[in-house]
Amino acid sequence: MSGPHDDFAPDEGPSRDRDQNAQPKFSPYHHPAAGWGAAKSVTKFMAREREAIDGPRAILKMNHEGGGFDCPGCAWPDDLKGLRLDICENGIKHVAWEMTHKRVGAEFFAAHTVTELSKWSEFDLENQGRLTEPMTYDPATDRYVPISWQEAFELVGRALAELDDPNQASFYTSGRLGNEATFLYQLLAREFGTNNLPDCSNMCHEASGRALQAALGTGKGTVDLVDWAAADALFIIGVNVASNAPRMLTSLVEAHKRGAQIVHINPLVEAAARRAIIPHDFLEMATFRATPTSTLNLQPRIGGDMALLRGIAKAVLEEARTDPMALDAEFIARHTVGFEEYRAMCEAASWTEIERQSEVAVADIRKAARIYCDADRSIISWCLGITQHEHGVDTVREIVNLLLLRGNLGREGAGPSPVRGHSNVQGNRTCGIDHRPTEAFLDRLAQVCGIDPPREHGLDTVHTIEAMQAGNVKVFVCMGGNFAMAAPDSTYTYAALRKCELTVQVSTKLNRSHVVHGRRALILPCLGRTEKDHQLSGIQATSVEDSMSMVHLSLGMKRPASPHLLSEPAIIAGIAQAALPNSPTPWQAYVEDYDRIRNTMAKVLDGFEDFNRRVRLPLGFRIRQPARELVFLTPSGRAEFSTAELPDIAPAAGTLTLATVRSHDQWNTTIYSDNDRYRGIENLRTLVFMNPDDMRERGLSEFDKVDITSVANDGSRRSVQKYQAIPYDIPRGNAAGYMPELNVLCAIGDYSTQSDQPIMKNLEVTIERSA
Ligand SMILES: Nc1nc2c(c(=O)[nH]1)N[C@H]1C(S)=C(S)[C@@H](COP(=O)(O)OP(=O)(O)OC[C@H]3O[C@@H](n4cnc5c(=O)[nH]c(N)nc54)[C@H](O)[C@@H]3O)O[C@H]1N2
Ligand SMILES: Nc1nc2c(c(=O)[nH]1)N[C@H]1C(S)=C(S)[C@@H](COP(=O)(O)OP(=O)(O)OC[C@H]3O[C@@H](n4cnc5c(=O)[nH]c(N)nc54)[C@H](O)[C@@H]3O)O[C@H]1N2
Ligand SMILES: [Mo]
């Protein structure tokens, strides 16, 4: 088995999608996004995963109306025509990865100690296949050994009962849990007595939620795919579309064909900022007919977006002096507050400062403003390049400011459109995963479910880790995800997890979080989304909500990977029954028929009236969006302009700003291969993309080995050694490398004061040749 990434052993085994001893390669990518490169990659991947028979059949069942399961990949919405082939390379890989024939059972755990497994790479752990039965850690032999479901539930129940305070437990979710399981999970936590409900969103779109809530009174975007199809201008900021939201390529290609403008704002010119072939358009594929997917690319420095956006706003306001139509004065007067202060602030901001902070030339900022002013309807879309910064909330509010100037809200083809991550991360929040629940939500929950939920706010991801370290969180339950690997400051986080009395991982595949565990530990294997969920009343479907607030059913159709797997609702109910002996909740009845869970949800959750009927409509239903109807649930009852000062984000002399990003062949902590096709990389993950001048200044050539040291706000330092430098088209003073390997560089204390999100896109680092 292989060790750490920088010294791949030749004995890695045949499964690896790379030649043995393969040398790293780098050659800039010139082909369109998606198309044949994607098709070839899928074919190779399926052959490797031996999914040649089941795979295609399953994929035809994905994301289509009238049955089939929701793609467990990203949260981009389904095609509105119920298109059966609205699929993408990464969705296919995601599904095939879950449907693998490989299995990890008791024999596997008997053959390997946890100490041994902890030396395996992320790829090797997950690549063992699907987990098949519940296991518990045995310290005497340093191995996981089988445990019955009932004993496992009782173990959790006892550990929870032993706590002095319910807040010594914390309940994490990774965003794929279906809505019904989500509702039960938060009910379990709150009935037990805590709002400690950290989730992956704390590392992802917390900033977007807070900013949109403050500005518009809704924590979500307001547009849907119909709007995407009607926009005259699309601004795509800080998202690697071709890799992380590939189905957006369809919208971009169609937008370009109808003459819409597409502006990409990203320090890196990613594949989608050039041209693409629609992922499922076989005619385009057959004729190699690629369509441009960009009309303007702007490359701000990392963290320079807020200054750039303010520059665009300033240019719009300047234009309005001669052309009053540049502003939507009527909209501003009727629906907003704070415009005059915002105008004054933009006018006071100097072009020199805007240019210095964004590192985009004024002439280019004016080009973007021209496009914005010429468009009747604009959508601004963004992802982690905006949110994982100290100033994430202010920057999202600046996006809203810009939209408000021209009334780009509450009408077709216009509005804010955050690109969410996990397939149901938005649904998780809607259905109650929130460490800062509103009083109104808790009141409804109390009234409908007959419980007395705690009122004080709970812990998020970062604060859960700090509380573990301080001994204040002792039982940690994870519904999915790979917390150890996804969280910042790996060394600190590992130590924190190891201090826990009990860690519980509900998972489909083996990962780092199973080998970095508490004094006692459980692995509870669950059904995946592709699998049939049999309960007493028959086969169950669960619902999910996409990035654009569409809720629909997902129905698994595959035989479960093992007869011992339980569904996530069943596991939650099992734990609840063991932990809450006097519970008023009908846990068993809920599991027997998920319609019953939905009936309760309909009474607790806004917008879920008549849930069971509406979720069965062909395309599901859209959750009401007050801001979309120009109803603003803000203190002023209007959309609110914000007036945050521009932060100074220029790096200190000698240091670089580093962003951690995903490669093309990975899904968060799941690594499919060491390739990053669209960035021209093969066989390498321990790399750092650098500006050629920054390399020259350090006397570095392509592939030279470097040490990267981060400097935290508290002055502490963290390093990785022997990474390889890759010359790349990225602004001077900036660098980028891959998560999760580089999470060791993210200091636990470096989270945004605005969102509490770890600052994963803005690390201050020094880079030097390795000794
Ligand atoms: N195939 C695949 N799909 C995924 C995922 C996956 O891992 N694999 N993950 C899912 C999840 S959970 C999420 S949250 C999303 C993540 O989707 P992305 O947000 O695309 O994720 P990252 O790879 O972190 O890339 C961030 C992008 O922001 C850019 N960037 C970095 N810093 C800045 C900056 O300061 N300003 C601007 N404007 N841009 C910047 C980077 O160059 C990169 O293009 O994707 C989801 N979909
Ligand atoms: N440095 C840095 N760190 C980051 C980020 C970054 O950009 N930079 N991005 C952050 C973001 S946006 C996110 S969302 C987090 C991701 O954090 P997580 O969501 O915690 O991590 P994943 O890698 O998505 O989790 C993968 C695991 O989920 C389990 N799994 C898969 N399917 C299922 C299922 O159906 N049910 C259950 N119960 N388990 C399942 C499998 O065991 C698999 O190993 O990482 C964050 N960490
Ligand atoms: Mo995410």
Side-chain angles (χ1 to χ4, degrees), residues 388-673:
Q388 292 179 326
H389 288 276
E390 166 60 27
H391 306 282
V393 175
D394 285 347
T395 309
V396 175
R397 292 208 61 179
E398 201 64 26
I399 288 174
V400 176
N401 289 342
L402 191 55
L403 289 168
L404 295 180
L405 286 181
R406 292 184 44 75
N408 278 307
L409 193 74
R411 58 192 175 88
E412 189 173 72
S417 185
V419 180
R420 301 302 305 260
H422 272 294
S423 51
N424 198 38
V425 62
Q426 187 157 315
N428 289 168
R429 202 42 81 87
T430 304
C431 298
I433 302 295
D434 192 345
H435 61 288
R436 304 152 78 234
T438 62
E439 284 295 318
F441 171 78
L442 293 176
D443 289 345
R444 291 268 282 280
L445 192 66
Q447 186 209 332
V448 175
C449 298
I451 67 163
D452 182 16
R455 300 285 164 159
E456 71 275 25
H457 287 176
L459 300 171
D460 63 2
T461 294
V462 167
H463 293 97
T464 289
I465 302 169
E466 289 183 337
M468 287 173 183
Q469 192 55 268
N472 295 332
V473 161
K474 297 179 175 172
V475 173
F476 186 46
V477 183
C478 289
M479 283 311 279
N482 183 358
F483 189 85
M485 211 55 218
D489 214 341
S490 316
T491 315
Y492 184 97
T493 295
Y494 288 11
L497 285 164
R498 289 187 168 121
K499 278 192 159 182
C500 290
E501 276 301 310
L502 172 68
T503 50
V504 182
Q505 298 291 340
V506 178
S507 317
T508 51
K509 291 230 181 163
L510 190 62
N511 67 39
R512 184 71 42 200
S513 302
H514 304 122
V515 296
V516 178
H517 56 75
R519 199 172 67 75
R520 285 171 292 168
L522 286 169
I523 299 176
L524 304 181
C526 64
L527 294 174
R529 200 177 279 171
T530 55
E531 291 165 335
K532 278 192 186 136
D533 182 354
H534 286 275
Q535 303 296 348
L536 204 66
S537 69
I539 298 207
Q540 306 295 312
T542 59
S543 66
V544 292
E545 174 186 342
D546 65 30
S547 259
M548 300 186 191
S549 305
M550 289 295 302
V551 179
H552 57 269
L553 281 180
S554 171
L555 184 68
M557 26 65 68
K558 250 207 122 200
R559 188 150 51 90
S562 142
H564 309 298
L565 300 182
L566 290 187
S567 74
E568 286 162 322
I571 295 172
I572 295 162
I575 293 176
Q577 285 168 307
L580 306 164
N582 304 315
S583 172
T585 304
W587 295 102
Q588 196 53 44
Y590 278 158
V591 174
E592 286 168 5
D593 184 349
Y594 298 175
D595 276 0
R596 295 174 187 153
I597 312 177
R598 283 186 282 269
N599 282 337
T600 303
M601 293 170 77
K603 293 185 202 136
V604 176
L605 303 171
D606 281 335
F608 282 70
E609 305 76 30
D610 205 5
F611 188 12
N612 267 312
R613 183 188 62 81
R614 289 196 297 151
V615 80
R616 288 180 166 86
L617 297 173
L619 291 172
F621 66 96
R622 184 142 201 263
I623 302 174
R624 227 182 19 245
Q625 272 293 345
R628 170 68 199 228
E629 285 138 40
L630 300 175
V631 173
F632 300 104
L633 306 175
T634 54
S636 63
R638 292 171 172 219
E640 304 197 356
F641 277 96
S642 70
T643 48
E645 294 287 346
L646 280 190
D648 189 347
I649 48 106
T655 67
L656 300 169
T657 307
L658 177 132
T660 59
V661 298
R662 291 148 177 78
S663 77
H664 183 66
D665 253 2
Q666 84 180 75
W667 221 95
N668 295 340
T669 67
T670 301
I671 313 296
Y672 300 130
S673 86

